[in-house]
Amino acid sequence: MMINYAAVPPASMKAAKSKTADQPTVFVVDDEPMLLELAEAILKPLGYHVRTFRDPELALKEFPAARPDVVITDYAMGRMSGMDLIRECRRLNPRQKMILLSGTVDEHVFADAPVKPDQFLTKPYQIHELAERVRSLIAA
């Protein structure tokens, strides 16, 4: 996997840059720290304010105040699944944009669910796939 570091602003700009209205917020929820770091390394240079969570319950607690533009969640995470998180986020914000990731299940897992993600990505995903899915959801 290659990251386009040309898109990364110089260190001085990064330090001075804080979350602004033109910087969309993306929550990434996964119990695997390496996958959180990967998603952050992909999305931050593209101008997104990325917040990572290993615990979906903590992400849900932060959700109302942060009002993320997109939530990316793994499917299998212990006590609370990604589908549970999607359902709860949509209960709080029915139009919340959601991406479900999984390396263990496919799209059939939510075929009959009353609440579905906007996008689904199979792990391992390509860098451009994640970036494009987030971009298209924010643009919609």
Side-chain angles (χ1 to χ4, degrees):
M1 281 186 254
M2 296 188 64
I3 298 171
N4 179 4
Y5 287 101
V8 179
S12 60
M13 284 179 63
K14 267 207 283 192
K17 191 175 187 180
S18 63
K19 183 181 182 312
T20 62
D22 64 336
Q23 190 179 26
T25 297
V26 178
F27 274 21
V28 183
V29 187
D30 198 313
D31 57 352
E32 292 291 331
M34 184 177 76
L35 295 175
L36 292 174
E37 290 175 22
L38 174 62
E40 187 171 25
I42 293 168
L43 298 171
K44 222 173 188 177
L46 299 175
Y48 301 113
H49 175 71
V50 180
R51 300 211 29 215
T52 61
F53 301 90
R54 288 185 66 190
D55 179 355
E57 292 172 351
L58 181 57
L60 190 58
K61 183 179 175 188
E62 298 288 324
F63 180 84
R67 299 175 51 204
D69 296 275
V70 175
V71 176
I72 301 168
T73 182
D74 186 29
Y75 174 75
M77 295 183 290
R79 291 189 318 230
M80 179 181 236
S81 76
M83 288 303 296
D84 295 334
L85 181 61
I86 290 169
R87 184 186 66 246
E88 291 303 310
C89 288
R90 289 269 176 78
R91 185 179 59 76
L92 297 169
N93 176 5
R95 295 184 301 174
Q96 180 60 52
K97 297 182 177 162
M98 308 287 300
I99 298 174
L100 180 66
L101 307 172
S102 182
T104 58
V105 297
D106 63 18
E107 295 178 34
H108 291 93
V109 75
F110 58 83
D112 296 326
V115 178
K116 297 173 178 36
D118 297 290
Q119 301 277 336
F120 177 79
L121 268 175
T122 303
K123 292 180 187 178
Y125 52 80
Q126 298 293 315
I127 289 172
H128 71 275
E129 289 177 308
L130 182 66
E132 178 56 29
R133 303 283 175 109
V134 170
R135 188 204 60 73
S136 69
L137 285 177
I138 288 174

